[in-house]
């Protein structure tokens, strides 16, 4: 069974710091990787997608992928209180489906 | 631009009652459509997905069913709700053309079975 693992948190970081969120996956043939942000009571919204090994940057967000280690991470620079949310890691394989982790709750403190 | 709408936003239903949640996508054709459920404190569980009209794949055994009567319409139903059906139901879509398996979610429907 395909699994996506995340630390549930909460991960607490001070405002302005770098938040580092991690995710591991079990299916070696996974081809696409996503980070979604979910505010309490709301639906998930896509932040980043990454398909190749290495780093991908978009504004304050950087996604990192290491397929050999089956590891994907999300870095949030200059964390803001508005970044406080649950971050979901999702992994896609050969079929048109995504498997989600249970999410890491991030708290950015003032 | 593409948009997805899902309704109702919230509902409280007694055990044994029927359920119908509806989702429509605008601004695209032949999308892949999905129903996910998120139980309290748990991850997103894929319930059903559809690659075309009348084509439904079920991911987990349950008392729920899904239908796709039109290209951009996806319906989640139950004849008799159980307490365990409570949760946050999310419709999602994936464009036929585009990068990878990116999916986009609707606003969600909160279901409480009492």
């Amino acid at each position: 069974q395909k699994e996506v693992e995340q630390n549930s948190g909460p991960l607490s970081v001070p405002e302005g710091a770098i938040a580092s969120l991690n995710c591991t996956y079990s299916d070696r043939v996974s081809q696409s990787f996503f980070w979604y942000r979910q505010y309490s009571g709301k639906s998930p919204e896509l932040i980043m997608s990454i398909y190749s090994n290495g780093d991908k940057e978009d504004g304050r967000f950087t996604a990192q992928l290491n397929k050999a280690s089956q590891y994907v991470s999300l870095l949030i620079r200059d964390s803001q209180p508005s970044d406080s949310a649950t971050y979901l890691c999702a992994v896609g394989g050969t079929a048109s489906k995504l498997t989600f982790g249970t999410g890491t709750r991030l708290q950015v403190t003032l | 631009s593409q948009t997805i709408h899902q309704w109702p936003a919230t509902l409280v239903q007694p055990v044994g009652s029927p359920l119908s949640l509806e989702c429509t996508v605008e601004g695209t054709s032949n999308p892949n459509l999905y129903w996910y459920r998120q139980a309290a404190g748990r991850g997103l569980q894929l319930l059903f997905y559809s690659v075309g009209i009348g084509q439904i794949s079920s991911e987990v055994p349950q008392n729920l069913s899904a239908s796709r009567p039109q290209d951009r319409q996806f319906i989640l139903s139950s004849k008799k709700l159980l307490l365990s059906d409570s949760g946050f139901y999310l419709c999602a879509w994936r464009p036929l053309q585009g990068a990878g398996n990116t999916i986009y979610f609707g606003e969600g429907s909160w279901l409480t079975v009492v």
Side-chain angles (χ1 to χ4, degrees):
Chain A
Q1 181 173 343
K2 301 176 184 178
E3 293 184 349
V4 178
E5 301 287 340
Q6 295 181 256
N7 189 317
S8 62
L11 172 66
S12 184
V13 300
E15 184 178 5
I18 297 175
S20 178
L21 305 165
N22 304 314
C23 171
T24 59
Y25 59 95
S26 63
D27 189 355
R28 287 192 168 274
V29 300
S30 298
Q31 299 175 347
S32 52
F33 307 85
F34 306 87
W35 285 99
Y36 288 80
R37 178 176 61 200
Q38 186 176 24
Y39 292 114
S40 181
K42 302 296 185 181
S43 64
E45 55 181 326
L46 180 70
I47 298 176
M48 295 278 292
S49 59
I50 186 167
Y51 304 95
S52 304
N53 280 330
D55 295 358
K56 179 181 178 182
E57 186 175 322
D58 184 1
R60 295 186 297 113
F61 299 97
T62 299
Q64 299 174 319
L65 175 62
N66 184 325
K67 289 186 177 180
S69 300
Q70 296 177 239
Y71 177 92
V72 58
S73 64
L74 178 70
L75 300 178
I76 306 175
R77 291 181 300 280
D78 188 25
S79 295
Q80 302 297 309
S82 58
D83 295 325
S84 297
T86 296
Y87 289 80
L88 304 175
C89 173
V91 175
T94 54
S96 302
K97 299 181 288 183
L98 295 185
T99 300
F100 284 82
T102 54
T104 297
R105 188 157 64 94
L106 173 65
Q107 294 178 338
V108 180
T109 58
L110 296 174
Chain B
S1 63
Q2 301 91 350
T3 57
I4 178 170
H5 299 286
Q6 184 181 340
W7 68 93
T10 60
L11 64 167
V12 179
Q13 295 285 100
V15 169
S17 65
L19 170 73
S20 181
L21 301 178
E22 190 166 341
C23 169
T24 60
V25 181
E26 299 176 356
T28 188
S29 297
N30 199 25
N32 284 0
L33 296 173
Y34 308 84
W35 280 109
Y36 281 87
R37 176 173 61 199
Q38 189 174 39
R42 301 183 65 179
L44 286 165
Q45 180 186 33
L46 179 61
L47 302 176
F48 301 95
Y49 75 97
S50 171
V51 299
I53 296 174
Q55 301 178 63
I56 309 294
S57 295
S58 175
E59 290 295 296
V60 294
Q62 59 209 319
N63 70 321
L64 300 171
S65 62
S67 62
R68 184 170 178 174
Q70 301 180 40
D71 179 45
R72 291 170 291 173
Q73 183 184 27
F74 206 22
I75 298 171
L76 182 70
S77 304
S78 175
K79 294 181 178 179
K80 291 185 178 181
L81 284 168
L82 306 172
L83 287 174
S84 58
D85 291 323
S86 294
F88 190 37
Y89 288 81
L90 290 155
C91 181
W93 72 283
R94 171 181 172 258
L96 184 62
Q97 296 175 349
N101 291 331
T102 306
I103 68 170
Y104 302 92
F105 289 93
E107 306 95 332
S109 298
W110 285 99
L111 170 65
T112 303
V113 182
V114 297

